[in-house]
Amino acid sequence: MSTSFLINEIYPCLQGEGINLGKPSLLVRFQICNLRCVWCDTPYTHTFKSDPLNKTEPNGKQKYIRHTLESLIQNIQSQNINHLILSGGEPTLHNLGLLMRSLGKSFSAEVESNGTRIPHLQVPNFLEDDYNLMQWNISPKFSNAGEKIEPEALKHWANLSKTNHSIFFKFVVRKSEITKDISEILSLIKEYNISNDRVFLMAEGITVDSQLANIWLHDECLKYGFRYTPRLHILLFGNKRGV
Ligand code: SF4
C-alpha cells in the first residue's frame, strides 16, 4: 500500500446515495476489488492481469491511471465540485483518509464500500478520526452475490455505526429471490445488531426497467422500517459507462 491511487475514472454526476441522492457530485472510481460478485456492474475495475499503466480500451480511452496524491488532488480540485463519491472497485484498498485530510474541510465525501475491510487496521496512516471525514455506504455482499460476509469487518462497521451517524448499510435485493434475500438480510442485521433505520434496500439490475415500479421492494422497506434507494444513474442513463 502506498500513497499512489489507481483510478479508473473521474466524472461529474448526480450520483449520491441515500440521503445524498441527486446531489451534484464528482465520482472518483478506484481500480481493484477484493471481491468477485456474480452480478458486479463494474467488472472493468478488477479484470486487469498486468500492470495497469498505459492500458487503453479499443476506443483509446485510458482504462485506469496511477495517480500520486498530488496529481489526484489537482484533478479533483480542477473540477469545481466539492462533494465526492469514492467508489470502485473497493475504495478502502486505497488511503481515503489521507486523501480527504489533504483535500481539506471544503470537500465532503461518501464512500461506496463492500464492508470487508477495517481501514484503521489495514490501511497505513488511516486514522480513527478519518472515519468522521466521510459518509460510509457499506454494502455487504452475501450469498446472492456469490460472496461471503467478513465477520470481523462487518462487526467493526456495525459497532462504529452506534456512534457515527454517517454510516449506512445498503443491501442489494433480487426480485426473483426476494424471500431468500430478505431473510438473509434480516439474519445479518440481527446478528450484527444493525439498526433497521440505517439500512437501505436497492433492487439489483442494470436496466431502467429493473429500477422502475419496485413496489415489491417498497413494501419490504415499509414492513421492516428500511429505507429505499433507486440506482439513479441507471434511471437517468441506463447502463452507460462514465455518466
Ligand atoms: S464489491 Fe462491488 S466492485 Fe467489487 S465485485 Fe462486488 S459489486 Fe463489483
Side-chain angles (χ1 to χ4, degrees):
M1 191 79 60
S2 73
T3 52
S4 70
F5 297 83
L6 289 186
I7 301 295
N8 187 282
E9 53 193 354
I10 299 179
Y11 59 88
C13 62
L14 300 179
Q15 204 170 308
E17 287 276 6
I19 59 172
N20 284 320
L21 191 66
K23 184 170 181 170
S25 309
L26 189 69
L27 187 136
V28 180
R29 187 181 302 290
F30 292 85
Q31 190 73 9
I32 307 179
C33 189
N34 56 333
L35 300 187
R36 294 292 182 269
C37 302
V38 290
W39 41 252
C40 179
D41 62 349
T42 55
Y44 48 83
T45 61
H46 51 260
T47 48
F48 65 81
K49 291 194 170 56
S50 57
D51 188 279
L53 284 174
N54 300 322
K55 285 209 159 192
T56 56
E57 295 178 57
N59 64 6
K61 186 177 172 186
Q62 195 159 18
K63 269 186 179 172
Y64 27 76
I65 185 166
R66 190 186 301 272
H67 272 286
T68 61
L69 176 63
E70 292 73 22
S71 69
L72 181 56
I73 285 176
Q74 203 170 32
N75 187 314
I76 290 170
Q77 287 176 332
S78 72
Q79 310 225 24
N80 294 320
I81 297 178
N82 67 359
H83 184 68
L84 310 179
I85 315 280
L86 305 176
S87 189
E90 175 48 44
T92 65
L93 290 161
H94 300 259
N95 197 332
L96 304 183
L98 180 63
L99 176 64
M100 293 310 296
R101 264 183 273 137
S102 305
L103 280 167
K105 286 191 172 23
S106 59
F107 281 85
S108 58
E110 54 192 293
V111 183
E112 298 292 319
S113 169
N114 58 34
T116 55
R117 291 173 50 79
I118 305 176
H120 75 278
L121 297 183
Q122 294 173 293
V123 181
N125 300 320
F126 187 99
L127 310 178
E128 298 215 31
D129 279 351
D130 291 343
Y131 288 111
N132 299 316
L133 300 179
M134 297 154 255
Q135 174 182 313
W136 298 87
N137 304 325
I138 302 298
S139 184
K141 303 302 189 291
F142 52 103
S143 68
N144 79 14
E147 285 290 352
K148 287 188 184 139
I149 297 296
E150 287 286 337
E152 284 309 309
L154 188 52
K155 198 189 300 176
H156 159 72
W157 291 108
N159 288 342
L160 202 57
S161 73
K162 304 284 183 286
T163 51
N164 183 327
H165 300 295
S166 294
I167 296 178
F168 296 88
F169 298 86
K170 182 176 74 181
F171 292 94
V172 177
V173 183
R174 299 163 302 173
K175 189 176 184 180
S176 58
E177 298 283 350
I178 181 167
T179 306
K180 181 174 180 295
D181 287 358
I182 294 289
S183 158
E184 203 165 337
I185 290 165
L186 290 172
S187 301
L188 281 172
I189 63 172
K190 185 173 178 197
E191 180 179 351
Y192 290 91
N193 194 18
I194 293 170
S195 165
N196 293 35
D197 179 52
R198 296 294 184 84
V199 172
F200 283 91
L201 297 188
M202 186 173 86
E204 191 266 325
I206 55 173
T207 62
V208 173
D209 276 355
S210 74
Q211 301 305 310
L212 291 174
N214 287 332
I215 296 171
W216 56 279
L217 208 45
H218 167 279
D219 291 350
E220 297 297 328
C221 287
L222 265 188
K223 185 170 170 185
Y224 296 108
F226 298 149
R227 306 173 190 221
Y228 172 79
T229 186
R231 307 193 72 199
L232 185 57
H233 61 292
I234 296 285
L235 284 169
L236 288 169
F237 300 104
N239 188 29
K240 197 170 158 200
R241 188 171 170 191
V243 287

